Amino acid sequence: MAQPNPLLSGLRGRCPNCGEGALFAGFLKVAPQCSACGYDLGKADSGDGPAVFVILIAGFVVAFAALYVELVFTPPIWLHLLLWLPLTVIVSVGLLRPLKGVMLAAQFSNRAAEARSDD
């Protein structure tokens, strides 16, 4: 059986080792181990990486969309708030889980480990 692409598996929320088992036990909580292959997922930690990428991507999309709408249509401020605040939340929440999966899969594919100071 061919090894699955870990980054695509992480994007789908699947185990980066086998591509079958669930990577998450909740919305963002990483499963302790893969239900299909038994791979230990408990040591994986994405840190703040996914949140940074979400901020950059969502900020780019929403800021430029808001700027375009302002320059072309010049709506009142209440309409901007009505449009862009929910869109910001939707884009941010929608991107967070896939990007966390990709970051965890990137750790797996690069065999990264937490830096330790055992001095």
Side-chain angles (χ1 to χ4, degrees), residues 10-13 24 28 93-103:
L11 187 65
R12 290 186 356 227
F24 298 103
L28 290 176
V93 170
L95 286 175
L96 196 53
R97 184 177 166 131
L99 288 178
K100 183 169 183 170
V102 167
M103 294 292 284

Side-chain angles (χ1 to χ4, degrees), residues 26-50:
F27 182 66
L28 290 176
K29 183 177 186 217
V30 179
Q33 69 181 20
C34 175
S35 59
C37 69
Y39 183 75
D40 183 20
L41 299 167
K43 293 182 275 185
D45 181 25
S46 62
D48 293 335

Side-chain angles (χ1 to χ4, degrees), residues 60-75 80 84:
F60 176 81
V61 169
V62 174
F64 282 102
L67 183 62
Y68 176 78
V69 168
E70 175 62 30
L71 292 175
V72 173
F73 302 108
T74 317
H80 275 297
W84 308 119

Side-chain angles (χ1 to χ4, degrees):
M1 181 173 152
Q3 282 292 99
N5 183 337
L7 296 178
L8 292 177
S9 296
L11 187 65
R12 290 186 356 227
R14 297 287 174 206
C15 172
N17 188 43
C18 66
E20 298 296 322
L23 180 59
F24 298 103
F27 182 66
L28 290 176
K29 183 177 186 217
V30 179
Q33 69 181 20
C34 175
S35 59
C37 69
Y39 183 75
D40 183 20
L41 299 167
K43 293 182 275 185
D45 181 25
S46 62
D48 293 335
V52 170
F53 286 114
V54 166
I55 289 168
L56 292 173
I57 294 168
F60 176 81
V61 169
V62 174
F64 282 102
L67 183 62
Y68 176 78
V69 168
E70 175 62 30
L71 292 175
V72 173
F73 302 108
T74 317
I77 191 70
W78 64 267
L79 188 56
H80 275 297
L81 293 173
L82 192 66
L83 288 173
W84 308 119
L85 287 178
L87 183 65
T88 302
V89 171
I90 291 168
V91 170
S92 298
V93 170
L95 286 175
L96 196 53
R97 184 177 166 131
L99 288 178
K100 183 169 183 170
V102 167
M103 294 292 284
L104 294 172
Q107 280 183 344
F108 168 80
S109 65
N110 293 314
R111 295 173 186 17
E114 289 283 326
R116 287 190 164 176
S117 175
D118 292 334
D119 296 334

